[in-house]
Amino acid sequence: EAYFRNIDLKSLTKAHVTLAHKRSHGVITVANYSQFLGRDVDVKFTALLWSDKMAALEAHVGSVDGEKVDSKNEWPHVTLWTAPNVPAREANYMPQLVSEGKEARIELDPPIVVVGKVNFF
């Protein structure tokens, strides 16, 4: 609670788990997600990672009709917050920073499960 007290979380209205980037993974990889477009999928949040520069939830994307919706990102997550002048893409490095002792991690037990829709942005 103390950590988030003075942090503006308005960006949560745009919160998302990136499945793939057109530039990094290719147009075909992104297009392959069209079979899931508009469909509901469970997302399980299993850990909170944070520092003075950012916070994110580790995410595990579920299945649609028994087919796993697999994120191509090395570390699927939802960025909750970044400090001014810290790009959201920096959250991709959070697990490495945790292993270096530069950020903190709390396991969520039990995990938090939400339902989201697959969409293109």
Side-chain angles (χ1 to χ4, degrees):
E1 182 180 330
Y3 176 79
F4 287 109
R5 185 172 295 132
N6 296 317
I7 292 176
D8 180 7
L9 294 176
K10 289 179 186 163
S11 64
L12 288 182
T13 59
K14 299 177 185 176
H16 63 277
V17 176
T18 300
L19 300 174
H21 283 283
K22 183 172 51 173
R23 283 176 282 194
S24 303
H25 303 103
V27 174
I28 293 172
T29 299
V30 173
N32 285 336
Y33 289 106
S34 64
Q35 65 182 321
F36 304 120
L37 192 59
R39 302 291 303 276
D40 288 342
V41 63
D42 288 351
V43 180
K44 187 186 311 182
F45 298 122
T46 57
L48 171 66
L49 287 75
W50 80 93
S51 71
D52 60 339
K53 295 181 182 177
M54 62 191 121
L57 290 169
E58 184 173 87
H60 299 272
V61 182
S63 301
V64 173
D65 294 334
E67 188 166 347
K68 178 84 171 107
V69 180
D70 219 7
S71 174
K72 302 302 181 197
N73 270 0
E74 192 172 321
W75 183 60
H77 65 279
V78 170
T79 303
L80 299 174
W81 167 82
T82 61
N85 301 317
V86 175
R89 70 177 174 271
E90 292 297 313
N92 288 309
Y93 306 110
M94 293 184 84
Q96 176 66 34
L97 296 169
V98 166
S99 70
E100 295 171 2
K102 297 177 181 174
E103 296 197 356
R105 176 188 172 97
I106 294 177
E107 295 289 325
L108 301 176
D109 187 19
I112 298 167
V113 179
V114 299
V115 176
K117 286 205 182 293
V118 177
N119 206 340
F120 292 122
F121 292 101

